[in-house]
Structures are given as C-alpha cells and as structure tokens.
C-alpha cells in the first residue's frame, strides 16, 4: 500500500499566510525607503558637515558608516538573540520605534558629531528590525521554500531602498533635510502597520505537529489495513509510533541548547559568513565611494539618485530570481555567478574611456546590483537550513552582526589602505575613490575563487530525482503487495497470496524498466549529475531488495505444509515491518532535496527497523529448526526467510549511500 502526502506549493504557503506576508512586506518596504534616503546621502552629507573637507573627505564618510555598521551589527545580534526568548514581533516593534527616534534625530543634526549619533540610533533600530524580520520570514515556511521566503524579504528591503534613493535624488535639490524629513514620515507610517504583524515564533512548531499527525495517520492507516488481514493478530501501535516518529524539522533530532564552536567552524558556515562579510565590504564602497565618485565626476544629485536607485532596483530583481534559481541548481552556483557578475559591473565603473558617461555608469551599477542580489539572500537561507527553529534566531542574529560588521571592516580598509598610498601624491580626489573601488573589486574576485574551489553545496540540485521518484513509487507499491502476500500466506489464504504475488511481479517489471531509464539518464552527456553514482546505487539497491523479497515469496509458495500459528504470527510481523522499512527508505530519498541532514537522520530509522527484523528472523529460524515437517519443506522455508532477510539488509545498504552523500557535502 502506498500512502502519498502531497506537499504544498510555495504559492499555497503564501496564500495560507497572506496576511503575515503582506503586513511584513509593507512594513519592510516603508522602513527601507527611509534607509534608502540615508544610504544615498550618508557620505555626501557627512563630508558636508565635516571640517577640513579636502583632508577628511573619505575619512568623515568612513567614520559615519563605521558607526552605523557597528550599531546595526549590535542591533542585529540583539534582535536575533532576543527574538527566540522575547518573541519576533516585540523585537520588530522595538526596532521600528528606535528607527523613528533616529530618523527624527538626523533632522536636528547640525554637525558631524550629532550626525554620527543619529546614524548610530538608526543602525541599532534597523538591525533589530531586519534581524527579527528575517527570522519571521524563515518561520513562515518550511525549509523547502526558505530560500524563496528570505529572498522575498530581501526583495522587500531593497525595493524600498531603491525607492528611497529616487526620493533622495528628487528632494535633495531643495536641501538634504527635505529628504530626511520624507524618511521620518515613512518610518512613522511603517510603525503603524508594524503593530498589525502577527507573532510567528510558534508556526514552525505547529507545522511539526501537523507533520507528526500526518505520519501517525499514515502508520495508523497501514496498521489498520494489516489488522484487517491478520485474523485478530494485533500490532502494538504505541511501539510503532515510537519507532516511526517523524524527524522532519524535529528539534529532538537536531542540535539543541547553546550554539557550539563546531557549528561555526563547519566549512559551509564559514564560507557563508565570509560571503556575507564581502557583500557588506562591497556595500561600503557603494555607500561611501560611489556617491562621492559620481559627484566628483560632475554629475548632479538627481543623477546620483538615479544611479544609486538603479543599483538597489537591480539588487532587488536579483534577489527575486535568486531563490528560484537556488531551488533549481543549488546554493553554490548562484553565489559564484553573483560574485563574478558584481565584480564585472563594478569594474565597468573604472574604465577610463567610459566612466564619465551616464549610460555606462547606469549599466555598470545595474550589472553590479543584479550580481549582488543573486547571492546576497542565500547565506541566510543556507544558515537557516542547517539549524533548528530554537537556534535559528540566535545564529541568524550572529550572522547579521557579522554581516554589518563588514561596514566597519570596509571603512577601515578604505581609510587605512587607500589614503596612505595616495597621501602627498599628485592624485586627484577622483583617483582616491577609484583606488578604493579597486581594493573592493579585488576582494570580491578572491571570494568568488574561494567559494568556487572550497565550498561544498549544502543543498545541491539532484537532477536524477524526478525519475527516481517514479521508480520509488513502483518499488514501494510492489513491496507492499509482496508483504501483503506474505501475510495472506501466513493466514492460510494461499490463493489470494499467489494473486498478490503476480500483481507485485507486474509492478516489479515496470520498476525494472524505470531503473533502466535512470541508468541511461545518469550516463547521458559528458557532465554527470550531482552525486549520480550514489543516487543510482540507491535505486539499484532498492530494486535488488525487491528482487530478494520476490524470490523469498516464490520459495515460500513451494512449502506445502501448514505452519504453526506462532510461526505464522512472526512471519506476518516480519512482513509488516519489512513494508514499513521500505516506506522509511523511500522517505529517506524524498528528504534529500528538502534537507540533506534530515535525509541522513531518516536513514537511521531504517537501521533501527533492520535490527528489529534481525531479532524476528532469529525467532523464526528457531521455530523452523523445531518444525516437525519433512526436511525439504524446512529447507525451503529457511531459504525463503533468508531471501526476505536479504531484502531487509539490502534496504539498509541503500540508505547508507544517502549518508555517504551527506558526508560528501560535509553535513554529517
């Protein structure tokens, strides 16, 4: 018997939680519009407030961004860490209120010191707001759609940011304070909407309970099905529920408690953090260097707003596609492509012949922005996929702390590495900005090379699985018929048992044909699919397990004697558990594209079942030894049960290949 549970699509998930998604997105877009104004004018306004402009033109902007970045990093850490204990919604509201205070303070900043304090307040508020928002978007969906959900959140952020850049360019013609006043109004409206946002911290637990309920329902239906064919032979349901308790997103099966050092030295986590850090160092150049470079080349503030807004618009567009792409090809490829694309776009801004032309500036920032968006949201998705909900807020808070600390590192790099080199030289101010971009572009290229060579994709795209799914349905159906046939045989309904065996043979032949297609597909073309040998080996072993079971049933039908009731009961239990073992093995491969660590964890369920079957097989063997029948029947019965046991052992060998895939991807 095959029990299918159809997963919800991403659109169905959004419709189910449409109020939470819409209210969060509206709040984020409005608050981020205010941040877009601040990003666009931060460097220009800071240098205007600074004294000795010629000497401190880069230093004043770097200090301002460093203060903002450090404050935002602290806000991110607090927002992520406290959201686990105090709730996501509370931290979101506190972040918005802090943002309102900072936006108001910036209106009264008359010198660089007051401007620094105002940006520090804004940084803390924005950090708490974004950290809680990220975790809320992760809570709203399962791990299957988490990349898309976080990409949607980041899309909202940079949609608002791009609108803010446009508003800054328009209203700055009348004075910078007019733009900051618009930002204050937008943040005030966002906090009103923010009070309608619902708490999401319990939604993951509700999904787990529903998943457990579905799994228990599946076990209950299968158990009831067998009971109806066992003439009063009862299987202990509580034991089955303990044995098959779902591990999907279950905190009992993942790391609980405090975060450990080993979690942070994991290769996928290290490269995830470093990619986020590089994105912020690059963003430092976009916030500090790009506006000053644009103004130094003679462009107007309106053109400044247009250029910076195109960067953030394409950033948002890139994030819209990044979630979809990563679900199809894995996490690593979009990260590498995004880094290289951003490198090419920023490099265009340095071309001496084309750098002074507005169309080229627009094209360069659009390419760079799209590249940034392609990889920017994926690190948070990778982290979310590898930790359970109880730790998700903490580790995402630490990630966003590291992320925004990149503003500090980027500012220090620009000031300490660039200005000393150019100090006292005949280089122009424009040369200082171009040298700053060169440093950032080089770091992006290095990160792209390191990710390409060193990062193992934690959630790759397994190309064969579409065909393997069809094969698993056929194998599972055939095994269910065979196990039911064993039960009918044990109930002395041998004619019914023979009919079921014939039906199973027909399905088994279809499974053989599908397996042949998988083999051809695996070795077609010059580029093999990810983990192709292991996934093919899994299908082959599952098919082989089916063959052993069919052979054992054929041998069983050669036994003519009536078997003792105690032996028949043990044979029925063996068949029931063998069918469950096949179900659990199929679930292992089904979990592989969802989360590799869950698939590896699921494989141990199959091991536990095999141990139980070993014990039952031993009891059956002892009963066979003491049979008072002719020797030929005892030999046939022994060979039959040996073939059934080989089927169970082969299923165990199959799931070991899934653990090998997990080891290759540094998951276990």
């Amino acid at each position: 018997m095959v029990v299918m549970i159809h997963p919800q699509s991403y659109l169905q998930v959004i419709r189910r939680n449409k109020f939470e998604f819409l209210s969060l997105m509206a709040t984020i877009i409005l608050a981020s519009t205010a941040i877009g104004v601040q990003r666009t004018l931060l460097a220009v306004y800071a240098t205007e407030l600074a004294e000795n402009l010629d000497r401190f033109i880069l230093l004043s902007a770097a200090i301002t961004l460093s203060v903002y970045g450090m404050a935002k990093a602290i806000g991110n850490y607090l927002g992520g860490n406290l959201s686990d204990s105090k709730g996501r919604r509370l931290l979101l509201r506190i972040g918005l209120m802090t943002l309102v205070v900072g936006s108001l303070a910036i209106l009264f900043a008359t010198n660089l010191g007051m401007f620094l304090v105002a940006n520090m307040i804004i940084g803390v508020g924005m950090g708490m707001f974004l950290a809680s928002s990220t975790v809320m978007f992760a809570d709203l969906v399962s791990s299957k759609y988490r990349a898309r959900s976080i990409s949607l959140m980041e899309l909202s952020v940079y949609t608002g940011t791009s609108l803010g850049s446009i508003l800054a360019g328009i209203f700055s013609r009348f004075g910078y304070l007019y733009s900051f006043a618009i930002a204050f109004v937008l943040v005030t409206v966002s906090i009103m909407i923010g009070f309608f946002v619902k708490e999401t911290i319990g939604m993951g637990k509700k999904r787990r309970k529903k998943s457990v309920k579905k799994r228990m329902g599946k076990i209950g239906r299968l158990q009831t099905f067998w009971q109806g064919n066992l003439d009063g032979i009862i299987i202990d349901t509580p034991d089955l529920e303990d044995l098959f308790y779902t591990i999907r997103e279950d905190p009992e099966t993942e790391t609980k408690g405090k975060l450990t050092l080993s979690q942070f030295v994991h290769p996928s986590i290290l490269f995830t953090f470093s990619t986020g850090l590089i994105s912020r160092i690059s963003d430092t150049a976009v916030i500090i260097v790009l506006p000053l470079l644009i103004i130094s080349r003679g462009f107007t503030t309106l053109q400044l707003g247009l250029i910076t807004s195109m960067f953030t618009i394409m950033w948002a567009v890139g994030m819209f596609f990044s979630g979809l792409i990563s679900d199809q090809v894995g996490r690593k490829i979009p990260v590498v492509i995004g880094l290289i694309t951003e490198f090419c776009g920023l490099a265009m801004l340095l071309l001496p012949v084309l750098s002074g032309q507005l169309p080229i500036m627009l094209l360069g920032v659009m390419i760079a922005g799209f590249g940034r968006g392609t990889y920017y949201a994926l690190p948070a998705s990778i982290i979310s996929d590898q930790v359970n909900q109880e730790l998700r807020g903490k580790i995402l808070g630490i990630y966003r702390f590291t992320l925004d600390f990149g503003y500090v590192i980027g500012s220090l790099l620009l000031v300490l590495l660039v200005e000393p080199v150019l100090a006292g030289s005949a280089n122009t101010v424009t040369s200082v900005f171009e040298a700053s971009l060169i440093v950032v572009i080089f770091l992006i290229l290095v990160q792209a090379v390191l990710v390409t060579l060193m990062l193992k994709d934690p959630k790759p795209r397994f190309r064969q699985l579409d065909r393997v799914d069809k094969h698993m349905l056929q194998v599972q159906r055939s095994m269910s018929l065979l196990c039911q046939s064993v039960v009918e045989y044990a109930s002395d309904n041998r004619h019914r048992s023979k009919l079921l065996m014939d039906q199973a043979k027909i399905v088994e032949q279809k499974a053989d044909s599908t397996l042949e297609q998988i083999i051809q597909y695996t070795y077609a073309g010059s580029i093999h699919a990810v983990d192709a040998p292991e996934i093919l080996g899994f299908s082959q072993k599952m098919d082989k397990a089916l063959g052993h079971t069919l052979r054992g049933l054929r041998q069983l039908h050669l036994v003519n004697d009536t078997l003792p009731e105690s032996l028949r009961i043990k044979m029925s239990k063996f068949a029931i558990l063998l069918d469950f073992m096949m179900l659990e093995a199929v679930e292992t491969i089904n979990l592989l594209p969802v989360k590799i660590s869950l698939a590896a964890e699921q494989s141990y369920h199959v091991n536990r079942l095999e141990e139980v079957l070993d014990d039952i097989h031993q009891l059956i063997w002892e009963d066979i030894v003491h049979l008072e029948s002719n020797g030929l029947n005892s030999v046939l019965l022994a060979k039959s049960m040996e073939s059934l046991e080989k089927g169970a052992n082969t299923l165990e060998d199959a799931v070991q290949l899934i653990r090998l895939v997990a080891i290759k991807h540094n998951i276990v």
Side-chain angles (χ1 to χ4, degrees):
M1 183 182 67
V2 181
V3 180
M4 293 295 294
I5 297 176
H6 298 285
Q8 288 186 317
S9 69
Y10 184 55
L11 289 178
Q12 289 175 321
V13 173
I14 291 180
R15 291 192 191 103
R16 187 186 65 203
N17 300 310
K18 58 180 177 296
F19 179 82
E20 287 80 5
F21 274 107
L22 290 175
S23 57
L24 271 172
M25 289 177 65
T27 305
I28 291 171
I29 289 173
L30 286 172
S32 300
T33 303
I35 295 303
V37 173
Q38 184 237 18
R39 279 174 57 96
T40 303
L41 301 179
L42 183 146
V44 178
Y45 196 55
T47 55
E48 183 176 285
L49 292 175
E51 297 178 358
N52 300 323
L53 182 62
D54 292 336
R55 182 177 177 183
F56 298 108
I57 187 169
L58 187 59
L59 181 60
S60 58
I63 292 174
T64 305
L65 185 58
S66 296
V67 170
Y68 169 77
M70 179 61 74
K72 190 163 180 275
I74 294 172
N76 273 317
Y77 178 77
L78 293 174
N81 194 45
L82 295 177
S83 68
D84 288 332
S85 57
K86 305 300 182 183
R88 322 296 199 207
R89 182 174 59 178
L90 176 62
L91 271 296
L92 180 136
R93 291 175 176 176
I94 293 174
L96 285 173
M97 288 187 286
T98 308
L99 199 55
V100 169
V101 174
S103 299
L104 182 62
I106 209 169
L107 288 173
F108 297 96
T110 57
N111 54 58
L112 184 60
M114 295 177 65
F115 190 66
L116 290 175
V117 172
N119 274 277
M120 181 178 65
I121 298 172
I122 290 175
V124 172
M126 199 62 183
M128 296 178 71
F129 170 66
L130 289 181
S132 55
S133 299
T134 303
V135 184
M136 292 177 86
F137 268 84
D139 288 341
L140 287 172
V141 298
S142 66
S143 60
K144 181 179 181 181
Y145 300 120
R146 195 159 290 142
R148 301 188 200 182
S149 184
I150 294 179
S151 294
L152 185 62
M153 176 265 184
E154 297 288 1
L155 173 65
S156 303
V157 172
Y158 290 99
T159 298
T161 303
S162 61
L163 292 174
S165 298
I166 295 173
L167 291 175
I170 294 173
F171 287 95
S172 293
R173 293 182 296 170
F174 310 107
Y176 296 135
L177 291 180
Y178 284 94
S179 298
F180 291 127
I182 294 295
F184 171 73
V185 172
L186 292 171
V187 173
T188 304
V189 175
S190 72
I191 198 172
M192 296 177 185
I193 300 176
F195 276 92
F196 293 98
V197 175
K198 294 181 179 180
E199 180 60 74
T200 64
I201 195 169
M203 291 188 175
K205 295 179 181 178
K206 291 179 182 178
R207 283 199 308 274
R208 284 198 295 272
K209 290 179 180 178
K210 290 180 181 178
S211 179
V212 171
K213 185 177 180 180
K214 286 181 180 180
R215 176 66 71 84
M216 294 305 103
K218 179 172 69 175
I219 293 172
R221 288 192 296 273
L222 187 55
Q223 186 254 339
T224 302
F225 174 81
W226 286 119
Q227 281 184 345
N229 293 276
L230 284 175
D231 295 330
I233 300 174
I234 304 298
I235 304 298
D236 190 358
T237 304
D239 289 347
L240 283 178
E241 291 185 357
D242 289 339
L243 192 61
F244 300 106
Y245 185 75
T246 181
I247 54 91
R248 188 190 301 271
E249 294 275 355
D250 182 7
E252 294 295 333
T253 60
E254 297 190 40
T255 305
K256 295 185 68 177
K258 297 181 179 179
L259 295 172
T260 61
L261 180 62
S262 61
Q263 290 173 289
F264 287 99
V265 299
H266 194 284
S268 61
I269 296 294
L270 283 177
F271 283 102
T272 298
F273 273 62
S274 65
T275 301
L277 195 64
I278 288 297
S279 73
R280 277 296 188 258
I281 294 174
S282 170
D283 203 33
T284 302
V286 173
I287 295 175
I288 295 179
V289 177
L290 186 59
L292 298 175
L293 179 63
I294 292 170
I295 295 298
S296 70
R297 286 178 175 173
F299 293 103
T300 65
T301 55
L302 182 60
Q303 291 171 324
L304 166 64
L306 177 62
I307 293 171
T308 54
S309 66
M310 291 309 300
F311 179 85
T312 48
I313 286 172
M314 294 306 297
W315 188 343
V317 171
M319 284 187 291
F320 176 78
F321 289 105
S322 68
L324 298 174
I325 294 171
S326 67
D327 287 338
Q328 297 298 318
V329 301
R331 309 292 196 225
K332 179 177 179 177
I333 293 176
V335 171
V336 174
I337 292 176
L339 287 166
I340 294 175
T341 304
E342 185 179 16
F343 165 82
C344 295
L346 293 178
M348 286 183 63
L349 304 180
L350 298 176
L351 296 176
V353 178
L354 305 175
S355 59
Q357 300 181 26
L358 180 61
I360 299 302
M361 294 287 289
L362 287 172
L363 180 61
V365 296
M366 288 173 66
I367 293 173
F370 185 81
R372 173 84 62 80
T374 303
Y375 74 87
Y376 179 77
L378 296 181
S381 301
I382 296 171
I383 292 171
S384 294
D385 287 340
Q386 297 188 69
V387 296
N388 64 331
Q389 191 187 38
E390 281 69 20
L391 294 176
R392 189 177 297 150
K394 292 184 179 66
I395 197 165
L396 282 176
I398 294 172
Y399 166 71
R400 295 199 71 95
F401 174 88
T402 306
L403 190 71
D404 289 318
F405 195 74
Y407 282 135
V408 181
I409 297 175
S411 299
L412 290 174
L413 283 173
L414 295 179
V415 173
L416 297 179
L417 295 181
V418 177
E419 282 203 342
V421 173
L422 299 174
S425 68
N427 291 285
T428 64
V429 172
T430 302
S431 299
V432 176
F433 303 144
E434 292 175 347
S436 303
L437 274 180
I438 291 173
V439 172
V440 172
I441 289 171
F442 174 75
L443 292 176
I444 293 173
L445 180 61
V446 170
Q447 180 67 18
V449 173
L450 289 176
V451 170
T452 302
L453 297 178
M454 305 298 293
L455 179 64
K456 293 185 177 181
D457 199 331
K459 194 174 182 179
R461 167 66 174 167
F462 300 100
R463 196 177 67 194
Q464 299 154 289
L465 288 186
D466 291 339
R467 288 169 172 79
V468 171
D469 287 344
K470 179 181 177 181
H471 183 239
M472 289 302 102
L473 287 174
Q474 294 167 339
V475 168
Q476 186 176 324
R477 174 61 179 164
S478 183
M479 178 65 81
S480 183
L481 290 169
L482 290 174
C483 291
Q484 186 182 353
S485 177
V486 173
V487 174
E488 294 289 352
Y489 181 92
S491 302
D492 282 335
N493 191 354
R494 301 194 180 188
H495 176 69
R496 171 67 175 164
S497 175
K498 184 69 167 58
L499 290 177
L500 290 171
M501 184 178 68
D502 292 340
Q503 292 177 24
K505 177 60 180 175
I506 294 173
V507 180
E508 191 262 348
Q509 290 173 346
K510 294 180 180 178
D512 288 341
S513 177
T514 304
L515 179 61
E516 187 68 27
Q517 294 175 12
I518 295 172
I519 294 173
Q520 293 175 359
Y521 182 75
T522 299
Y523 295 106
S526 58
I527 301 178
H528 289 172
V530 175
D531 302 303
E534 289 79 12
I535 294 176
L536 175 60
F538 177 88
S539 291
Q540 289 174 325
K541 287 186 180 298
M542 295 286 280
D543 200 77
K544 189 175 182 180
L546 188 62
H548 285 308
T549 306
L550 180 60
R551 186 180 305 109
L553 188 55
R554 284 172 172 168
Q555 293 167 339
L556 185 61
H557 274 279
L558 297 176
V559 179
N560 297 318
D561 291 349
T562 300
L563 303 178
E565 182 179 5
S566 61
L567 178 57
R568 289 189 286 116
I569 291 175
K570 294 182 181 70
M571 289 173 61
S572 296
K573 287 188 175 182
F574 189 97
I576 291 171
L577 290 178
L578 182 60
D579 194 15
F580 270 117
M581 190 174 181
M582 173 62 79
L583 284 170
E584 294 299 298
V586 171
E587 182 72 0
T588 301
I589 194 73
N590 289 340
L591 283 171
L592 196 60
V594 177
K595 195 172 183 179
I596 297 178
S597 61
L598 289 180
E601 192 72 32
Q602 173 71 15
S603 69
Y604 290 102
H605 283 204
V606 179
N607 293 137
R608 291 174 61 193
L609 274 170
E610 203 279 330
E611 292 173 2
V612 176
L613 287 172
D614 277 343
D615 294 337
I616 298 176
H617 182 260
Q618 183 63 33
L619 295 174
I620 292 174
W621 183 262
E622 292 174 1
D623 285 356
I624 292 174
V625 171
H626 295 94
L627 280 179
E628 296 180 357
S629 58
N630 65 67
L632 178 60
N633 282 329
S634 296
V635 170
L636 289 172
L637 187 58
K639 284 185 173 294
S640 170
M641 294 310 302
E642 183 180 355
S643 295
L644 294 177
E645 173 68 7
K646 283 183 179 179
N649 291 336
T650 306
L651 288 178
E652 185 179 29
D653 293 340
V655 298
Q656 286 177 351
L657 291 172
I658 302 301
R659 290 203 291 273
L660 177 59
V661 171
I663 292 171
K664 286 173 61 178
H665 291 274
N666 286 339
I667 301 300
V668 294

